[in-house]
Amino acid sequence: MLDYERRRQTLIVRLTDELDHRAAGQMREELDALLRDGSIRRLVLDLKDLRFMDSSGVGLIIGRYKLMARRGGSVAVMHADRRMDRIFEMAGLYELVERMA
């Protein structure tokens, strides 16, 4: 189950542990259920406690970006450490999502 917080039109989701092939499917379902609320215009992914992410995680983020873009919304990430920054840069995710301090 995802740990999340709603602030007006922003949904902040805290990702923990590992975002790999095994975890991505369930996380995708949970995120999409939360995002069915069309009033959400901004998705912020908090990576503070995320230890690992593979290509399944990259795909999950790209999919949520596309979903939010279709409704005129946006996606951002915060608390990315050096490892996550490197993954995001190599995958080109920072061209799609905002990096928050």
Side-chain angles (χ1 to χ4, degrees):
M1 190 154 193
L2 290 177
D3 184 20
Y4 66 92
E5 175 182 351
R6 173 97 187 250
R7 294 184 189 167
R8 297 185 188 176
Q9 295 181 320
T10 299
L11 179 67
I12 302 167
V13 178
R14 287 175 264 309
L15 303 181
T16 60
D17 298 323
E18 298 182 356
L19 182 48
D20 57 10
H21 176 71
R22 194 182 59 188
Q26 180 178 354
M27 188 170 298
R28 182 179 300 109
E29 288 177 18
E30 291 181 37
L31 261 175
D32 287 352
L34 292 168
L35 293 172
R36 281 191 192 107
D37 180 343
S39 68
I40 296 172
R41 294 287 177 230
R42 184 167 174 83
L43 172 63
V44 177
L45 302 172
D46 184 343
L47 309 180
K48 182 179 179 181
D49 296 318
L50 188 63
R51 294 182 294 126
F52 175 80
M53 183 172 75
D54 67 9
S55 60
S56 298
V58 172
L60 180 137
I61 292 170
I62 291 171
R64 290 341 92 206
Y65 161 78
K66 289 178 179 179
L67 188 152
M68 294 302 292
R70 281 193 300 269
R71 68 168 68 163
S74 64
V75 177
V77 295
M78 63 187 205
H79 300 132
D81 64 18
R82 286 178 29 199
R83 290 174 296 135
M84 289 300 132
D85 262 342
R86 183 159 168 80
I87 291 170
F88 273 66
E89 287 172 2
M90 288 175 32
L93 290 175
Y94 284 136
E95 294 176 25
L96 305 175
V97 303
E98 175 191 350
R99 179 180 178 214
M100 299 172 63

